[in-house]
Amino acid sequence: MQHDAYRAMWERLDLDLPAHDGLLQVLGKFYGDIYMSQQGRLQGMEYLDFVLSEVHGLRIQELQDAKAQGRKVIGTFCVFVPEEITLAAGAIHVGLCSGAEAGTELAEQLVPRNTCALIKSFIGFKLAKLCPFTQSCDLVVGETTCDGKKKAYEAFAEHVPMLVLEVPQQKRACDRELWKAEVLRYKAEVEALTGQTITAQSLAAAIRTVNARRRVLQRLGALRAASPAPISGRDALLINQVSFYDDPERFTGAISTLCDQMEARVAAGEGVAPADTPRLLLSGCPMAVPNWKLPYVVESAGAVIVGEESCIGTRNTRDLVDESGTTVEEMIDAIVDRYLRIDCACFTPNSERMDNVVDLARAQKADGVLQYTLLFCQPYGHESMKLARRLEAEGIPNLAIETDYSMEDVEQLKTRVEAFVEMLRSRRG
Amino acid sequence: MAEIVALGIDVGSRSMELVALDAQAAVVDSARLPTTFHPVAQLAALLAGRTAPMVTATGYGRELVGQVVGSEVATITEITAYALGAAVSAPRARTILDIGGQDTKAIRLDAQGQVLKFEMNDRCAAGTGKFLEHMATVFQIPVEEFGVFALGGREGVRINAMCTVFAETEATSLMAQGHRPEDIAWALHASVCQRTASMLGRVGLTPPLLFAGGVARNPCMVRLVEKLTGVSPIIPEDPDTVGALGAAYHAWRRWASSAQSAS
Ligand code: SF4
Ligand code: SF4
């Protein structure tokens, strides 16, 4: 493998090389089992296979090269951090993934045991020196969303340069004011970090870049409404996951080619599974790379996933920033409004999320909704109960799953998911 | 004996059951064995050379059945199997409660017997037959008599711990405080039932309620389910084999439709 070429770089980034080798090996095997075993994949997925195989290699090399030219790298954990501002100041924006179990014992020395797997993962990856992205960051931006993250950032700040944005919990006029102040504070911080002043021109270009990526992912989502489903849920999830750390323009181009292939498939009435395959919408907590456990269980049980109502899915792509602004001030307002439309469970009462899930389930012609909640996640745990009632009232079958990143419960998950799929099949008659 | 056309096999983590149906879908044979750590050998013993044109397997070890039967085996989950089993043994049932050795399920059915909603607890012994078995050992009472013993208890003592190990500690300290063993036994049953009742609540208990699984033989549990839910449950003749019966019925339906298309 070309790994040897990257060793010096990983060493410079202070990774724990033996542990990191182990991680790459496990990841490679996991990817092979879950992804390469699929039949009838779209040709365009080769790009994703490549990007993923180079996630700790070429992409990190690109970041290092950019840094050598004076660019800054900003890491984030939440779709609330306005990427447009990062890009407008000439910095690189990456989502730090946190979708695997690593360094759990170390993490549990910094955060309580009953913390969700996602939080433990990003702390564990840092403490175990396994993530070259975190190691490449000039700044890590956190946000006051759930209590778990909010408090974890206090501990994390001792290990990385950290900025925490305050995200309001309601959406009244005064909350918008607070959020706008935070967006402006972020702008000032990024400008100070990069030494570049954001101009109307650079901000407009950044808005177009990020919107273009959202649009191509919207297009992908819309194509998945077709029956038979033109792409597996696993592949679609991977695309959404990769969107968080790939170069935005290159990514948009590659996915647009892939969408062309999907369009041809849909026109030919072809798909990855027979037309009578039960269709499921996933809904809930984000599934960060390489968290593919549930999609794999679902699609092995004979169903196909046709959408992800999550931050690594429609919550990140549904809303665009209005492009009609001409001054920085107008564009900032457009950004503030767009981000405040995010229907994260950290908001109260967040009833728009209930409507959005129902609308999405209908638009994707889903036979049922599979709710996914990470163990110990309060916000989504609460909303899962609320959403179950709403879906029931709408006559949409749903199953709520609570799990984490460990593999111990896979058999139990299988039984639940298979039973749900059998139930959907028998309903169809 | 009438000719067997369909076999249903339920391979649970503690025990496995077999039900055989004839062309009229009548039960002509059944068997039961513990699963042990050698499920494949036990399956061979359970089958004892029985074969049928159609075989359906269910339960956590359902994938193993194909290895033993030799012919093709259809598999369904326990949820579907119990719904089908209920359709045969208590066709009017709209809710099923199954408390087995290792897991608990609550299933709500529509008027046609189709699954509407289900809940499962299969991660933890609390709230299952395993919990009661363990406690019976602590009391040094055979598990079959533990329910009758507990019926002699009165309300008033409470067990709060969810975990089997902590519940045992609680029970022991209640004994040390001088509480009547029958009262403590009642409280232990009540703690299992409490969990069960909340599962039933989550699926939306609609009577009639079918109570299946080995624990349905425990009179104290039956009494408590009735007390906590206000619904008096139907107990099938053989509560352990509802899953196997459902699997057998699944196999029988496939047999009937293939017999039809062949003629
Ligand atoms: S779920 Fe909420 S807190 Fe988590 S990434 Fe999404 S918006 Fe941020
Ligand atoms: S999954 Fe839930 S608990 Fe975990 S970080 Fe996201 S909102 Fe917080």
Side-chain angles (χ1 to χ4, degrees):
Chain A
M1 282 201 122
Q2 67 276 58
H3 283 168
D4 291 340
Y6 298 127
R7 290 196 90 78
M9 172 176 78
W10 292 334
E11 206 149 20
R12 273 197 307 281
L13 288 171
D14 191 27
L15 293 188
D16 177 342
L17 288 185
H20 183 252
D21 286 346
L23 176 77
L24 289 188
Q25 212 168 19
V26 172
L27 253 182
K29 163 136 194 354
F30 201 43
Y31 192 74
D33 291 348
I34 293 181
Y35 278 94
M36 306 315 270
S37 59
Q38 295 182 92
Q39 304 289 318
R41 272 177 107 204
L42 290 150
Q43 201 207 336
M45 287 308 296
E46 279 171 12
Y47 175 75
L48 281 303
D49 291 339
F50 177 73
V51 174
L52 203 86
S53 70
E54 288 291 343
V55 53
H56 281 197
L58 197 56
R59 184 64 185 139
I60 299 299
Q61 187 65 59
E62 286 178 350
L63 297 187
Q64 300 313 311
D65 295 348
K67 281 168 75 106
Q69 286 162 15
R71 290 183 70 190
K72 301 291 177 193
V73 177
I74 296 180
T76 62
F77 291 112
C78 171
V79 298
F80 255 99
V81 184
E83 184 170 357
E84 292 83 354
I85 291 178
T86 314
L87 299 187
I92 297 173
H93 193 97
V94 290
L96 300 171
C97 46
S98 48
E101 218 173 15
T104 310
E105 290 79 27
L106 292 171
E108 285 175 359
Q109 293 168 21
L110 280 193
V111 295
R113 290 195 59 195
N114 57 352
T115 299
C116 87
L118 196 143
I119 296 173
K120 275 189 202 162
S121 170
F122 74 69
I123 295 184
F125 265 88
K126 171 69 201 176
L127 297 181
K129 300 184 177 182
L130 287 169
C131 179
F133 284 92
T134 310
Q135 301 298 92
S136 302
C137 285
D138 297 291
L139 179 69
V140 173
V141 187
E143 65 326 301
T144 58
T145 43
C146 69
D147 286 352
K149 283 212 258 178
K150 197 162 68 188
K151 299 309 281 183
Y153 293 140
E154 292 172 20
F156 205 52
E158 288 168 23
H159 300 267
V160 293
M162 188 88 226
L163 169 72
V164 177
L165 298 182
E166 180 153 359
V167 174
Q169 316 267 285
Q170 295 202 314
K171 296 181 178 176
R172 300 159 303 173
C174 58
D175 299 308
R176 186 188 180 280
E177 239 165 76
L178 165 72
W179 177 234
K180 183 171 177 182
E182 288 297 288
V183 171
L184 289 171
R185 182 163 73 94
Y186 181 57
K187 175 172 168 286
E189 292 274 357
V190 179
E191 284 175 333
L193 178 75
T194 60
Q196 283 189 35
T197 306
I198 292 175
T199 63
Q201 204 187 359
S202 70
L203 191 53
I207 289 175
R208 279 195 303 273
T209 301
V210 184
N211 273 351
R213 191 185 59 210
R214 291 184 188 122
R215 279 197 194 94
V216 82
L217 290 168
Q218 288 175 357
R219 184 179 163 208
L220 176 95
L223 284 164
R224 294 169 76 194
S227 176
I231 187 169
S232 71
R234 268 168 278 177
D235 278 339
L237 174 64
L238 179 68
I239 292 171
N240 276 290
Q241 290 172 333
V242 164
S243 75
F244 281 85
Y245 59 80
D246 198 12
D247 174 79
E249 281 163 20
R250 180 174 60 199
F251 174 86
T252 302
I255 302 309
S256 146
T257 311
L258 185 109
C259 285
D260 294 342
Q261 293 168 11
M262 279 172 73
E263 233 154 51
R265 254 198 193 181
V266 171
E270 289 165 7
V272 287
D276 65 350
T277 306
R279 302 161 64 87
L280 295 184
L281 173 69
L282 286 185
S283 169
C285 289
M287 288 184 184
V289 182
N291 179 8
W292 303 308
K293 174 168 119 176
L294 194 57
Y296 181 56
V297 167
V298 169
E299 298 197 330
S300 306
V304 63
I305 297 167
V306 294
E308 298 77 27
E309 189 274 335
S310 94
C311 281
I312 306 196
T314 53
R315 209 180 324 287
N316 186 36
T317 57
R318 186 187 51 232
D319 302 311
L320 301 175
V321 175
D322 182 75
E323 291 181 11
S324 63
T326 50
T327 62
V328 170
E329 172 73 26
E330 282 169 358
M331 288 183 241
I332 292 285
D333 275 321
I335 288 171
V336 167
D337 289 333
R338 184 269 168 198
Y339 281 83
L340 261 196
R341 279 203 293 275
I342 296 172
D343 52 353
C344 170
C346 296
F347 281 85
T348 184
N350 201 35
S351 34
E352 63 266 39
R353 177 166 170 242
M354 307 295 128
D355 300 332
N356 288 334
V357 176
V358 171
D359 290 349
L360 188 63
R362 299 238 158 92
Q364 300 305 101
K365 305 191 192 72
D367 297 301
V369 174
L370 191 60
Q371 293 204 61
Y372 163 74
T373 307
L374 277 174
L375 222 55
F376 307 126
C377 172
Q378 291 273 348
Y380 284 91
H382 276 275
E383 289 209 347
S384 150
M385 305 178 94
K386 207 161 91 175
L387 187 54
R389 285 194 292 272
R390 173 65 187 275
L391 289 168
E392 241 160 75
E394 301 278 348
I396 302 173
N398 84 98
L399 174 70
I401 295 277
E402 208 183 25
T403 183
D404 56 18
Y405 295 167
S406 73
M407 291 296 150
E408 283 144 31
D409 63 347
V410 166
E411 288 305 317
Q412 283 105 328
L413 287 183
K414 269 191 192 160
T415 301
R416 279 179 178 67
V417 170
E418 278 173 26
F420 188 55
V421 173
E422 283 171 354
M423 175 183 126
L424 296 177
R425 273 193 194 281
S426 72
R427 280 198 162 201
R428 281 180 162 189
Chain B
M1 201 193 321
E3 195 194 345
I4 295 174
V5 304
L7 278 180
I9 302 167
D10 182 356
V11 188
S13 51
R14 320 237 20 228
S15 69
M16 49 177 75
E17 294 87 27
L18 170 147
V19 168
L21 301 181
D22 67 9
Q24 277 69 51
V27 177
V28 288
D29 200 3
S30 68
R32 180 152 194 251
L33 280 179
T35 304
T36 74
F37 286 126
H38 308 286
V40 176
Q42 289 295 92
L43 262 172
L46 182 77
L47 278 158
R50 290 184 191 88
T51 52
M54 292 293 173
V55 182
T56 298
T58 186
Y60 123 107
R62 59 187 176 276
E63 304 296 340
L64 298 174
V65 178
Q67 290 180 30
V68 181
V69 170
S71 61
E72 214 189 303
V73 174
T75 58
I76 55 176
T77 62
E78 297 94 299
I79 301 295
T80 303
Y82 272 79
L84 289 171
V88 180
S89 54
R92 286 176 37 252
R94 296 289 300 275
T95 309
I96 306 169
L97 168 66
D98 163 65
I99 311 183
Q102 198 92 296
D103 65 5
T104 308
K105 315 182 234 312
I107 309 168
R108 183 155 59 91
L109 307 169
D110 67 11
Q112 282 70 48
Q114 306 270 19
V115 178
L116 277 179
K117 214 174 165 194
F118 63 89
E119 284 271 337
M120 291 177 89
N121 161 35
D122 49 9
R123 293 186 87 163
C124 154
T128 71
K130 176 100 188 147
F131 178 88
L132 291 174
E133 247 175 68
H134 180 79
M135 294 307 162
T137 340
V138 174
F139 277 76
Q140 295 177 316
I141 292 175
V143 65
E144 307 80 49
E145 291 161 29
F146 194 40
V148 179
F149 178 76
L151 272 182
R154 286 183 306 251
E155 225 168 313
V157 182
R158 260 184 79 97
I159 298 282
N160 295 307
M162 301 262 228
C163 161
T164 313
V165 179
F166 291 129
E168 181 183 339
T169 316
E170 250 187 84
T172 337
S173 71
L174 284 169
M175 281 199 219
Q177 287 165 28
H179 286 282
R180 286 174 66 218
E182 289 88 340
D183 296 347
I184 302 170
W186 169 277
L188 287 165
H189 280 73
S191 88
V192 174
C193 203
Q194 213 90 49
R195 301 196 106 200
T196 309
S198 67
M199 276 174 89
L200 284 169
R202 284 198 297 271
V203 297
L205 170 60
T206 317
L209 168 69
L210 178 74
F211 187 3
V215 174
R217 296 184 194 278
N218 177 318
C220 186
M221 282 302 292
V222 175
R223 167 90 54 94
L224 277 160
V225 166
E226 186 170 352
K227 187 165 173 286
L228 256 70
T229 63
V231 177
S232 112
I234 308 168
I235 316 290
E237 216 171 288
D238 193 359
D240 294 289
T241 56
V242 175
L245 179 65
Y249 187 55
H250 182 265
W252 182 86
R253 285 204 310 205
R254 291 189 297 123
W255 172 81
S257 70
S258 76
Q260 201 169 39
S261 58
S263 65

